[in-house]
């Protein structure tokens, strides 16, 4: 009798422990601890002594969550070894998030309809049983391809155009290409990219990497297979592409128009450079975090618009953060349907599941709650005004890395709050949304309906 019971008892526990979200979450914690330990080694810092524990921890969290917020100047504070540790953390963080989101998407698809499974299989270039190993290999290939091509472009540009040594140019090219594709925003220049505000090669190369990394792996795979046949694109791909083509120009016009005459940002620049800088900053709000103008000197209205764009973020299963453009689009289509009085929400010729309505609303409300809580705690501790604190909190939660310049001067406790926001913002929306989708269950009875007054 004991022989029949023993083999069956541990299996459910083992399956729960090996849930992809839990494994990757634990992996992120482990890598953060290892990264912090490596950054505290004296060899990781320029000059005598080593980095303090809070400096190393904040930098490790910012790198592994591909955020880009910093409390020390990356090129002057960290040695070559320290910069290499940061770069490895960025690569692991970006790769880990893409794998986690893609695997969870497949797990969700397996719980849904046959059509959803077929769509997931098509997006991952597999049929029948979806091969997780193939997905991981494809993510590695795509990441290395884009990072490698961009690194070569930047290497030759820094070497031949700016006269850097071959070694320095190669390191600059590799570091910034990996940082850009993973939407991290770490830079090896003390003024970030401000010295290259008028350089189209540097600016546009980084922008392309950020956009490609931010749209998400499923979108990249489907575009590769059906580039010329949009009718074969899934709803997810259509939403991400449409939102990307809309939000970048809108952000460009908004930022450029407000900052056009600002003497501390775009004012002194020629008009072509102003437009290039506006495009660059609009792309950065998709959660990259590079800056070619002084964010702290921008107008309050500009910062408010950036907060909105950072909160929306990029595509799912990519290196971008935020609540994701798909979540924002779902809410927008719900509002449009309500205004029109439609009984259902239709998106690009398909009906949107009511379960998705609830998931999108839940993700947004929880994100707002986390950001508000973090902002209030930091304001109480520091006494700083709402504007810059809210900007920093949204930047941390959305894993953007843009800063008004207050992060390094915050007390340690406030910096730890930002670390918590970065970690929740990087893994929280993915795991929470997947948990909602995977916990769906049939209800055997329904309670009577009643409508409260709304508005």
């Amino acid at each position: 009798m004991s022989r029949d019971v023993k083999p069956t008892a541990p299996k459910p526990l083992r399956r729960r422990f090996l849930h992809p979200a839990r494994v990757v979450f634990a992996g992120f914690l482990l890598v953060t601890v290892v990264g912090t330990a490596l950054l505290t080694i004296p060899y990781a810092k320029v000059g005598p002594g080593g980095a303090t524990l809070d400096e190393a921890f904040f930098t490790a969290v910012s790198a592994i969550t591909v955020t880009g917020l910093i409390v020390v100047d990356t090129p002057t504070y960290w040695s070559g070894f320290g910069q290499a540790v940061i770069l490895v953390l960025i690569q692991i963080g970006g790769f880990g998030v893409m794998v986690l989101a893609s695997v969870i998407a497949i797990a969700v698809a397996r719980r849904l309809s046959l059509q959803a499974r077929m769509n997931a299989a098509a997006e991952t270039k597999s049929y029948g049983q979806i091969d997780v190993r193939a997905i991981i290999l494809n993510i590695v290939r795509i990441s290395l391809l884009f990072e490698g091509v961009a690194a070569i472009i930047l290497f030759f540009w820094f070497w031949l155009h700016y006269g850097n040594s071959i070694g320095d140019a190669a390191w600059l090219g590799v570091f910034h290409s990996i940082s850009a594709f993973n939407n991290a925003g770490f830079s090896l220049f003390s003024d970030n990219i401000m010295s290259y505000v008028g350089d189209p090669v540097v600016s546009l190369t980084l922008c392309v990497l950020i956009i490609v990394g931010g749209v998400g792996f499923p979108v990249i795979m489907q575009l590769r297979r059906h580039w010329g046949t949009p009718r074969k694109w899934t709803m997810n791909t259509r939403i991400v592409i449409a939102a990307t083509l809309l939000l970048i120009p809108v952000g460009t016009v908004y930022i450029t128009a407000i900052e056009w005459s600002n003497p501390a940002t775009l004012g002194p620049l020629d008009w072509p450079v102003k437009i290039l800088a506006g495009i660059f900053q609009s792309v950065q709000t998709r959660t990259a975090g590079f800056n070619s103008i002084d964010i702290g000197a921008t107008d309050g209205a500009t910062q408010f618009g950036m907060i909105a764009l950072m909160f929306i973020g990029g595509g799912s299963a990519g290196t971008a953060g935020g609540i994701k453009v798909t979540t924002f689009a779902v809410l927008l289509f719900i509002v449009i349907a309500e205004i029109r009085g439609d009984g259902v929400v239709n998106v690009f010729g398909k009906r949107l599941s009511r379960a998705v309505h609830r998931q999108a609303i839940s993700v947004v409300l929880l994100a707002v709650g986390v950001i508000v809580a973090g902002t209030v705690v930091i304001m109480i501790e520091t006494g700083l005004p709402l504007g810059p604190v809210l900007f920093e909190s949204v930047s941390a939660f959305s894993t953007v890395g843009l800063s008004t310049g207050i992060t390094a001067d915050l007390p340690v406790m406030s910096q730890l709050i930002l670390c918590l926001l970065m970690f929740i913002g990087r893994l929280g929306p993915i795991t929470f949304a997947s948990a909602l989708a995977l916990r769906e269950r049939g209800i055997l009875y329904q309670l009577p309906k009643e409508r409260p007054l709304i508005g």
Side-chain angles (χ1 to χ4, degrees), residues 28 145-146 191 234 236 263 360 381:
F28 266 71
L145 173 63
F146 280 98
D191 62 354
T234 60
N236 177 73
E381 186 187 18

Side-chain angles (χ1 to χ4, degrees), residues 26-50:
F28 266 71
L29 285 175
L30 177 61
V31 174
T32 300
V33 172
V34 173
T36 301
L38 290 174
L39 290 175
T40 55
I41 297 174
Y43 188 60
K45 177 180 170 291
V46 173

Side-chain angles (χ1 to χ4, degrees), residues 389-406:
V389 176
L390 179 62
F391 189 97
E392 228 74 7
S393 296
V394 173
S395 181
F397 176 84
S398 300
T399 66
V400 179
L402 290 176
S403 174
T404 57
I406 67 171

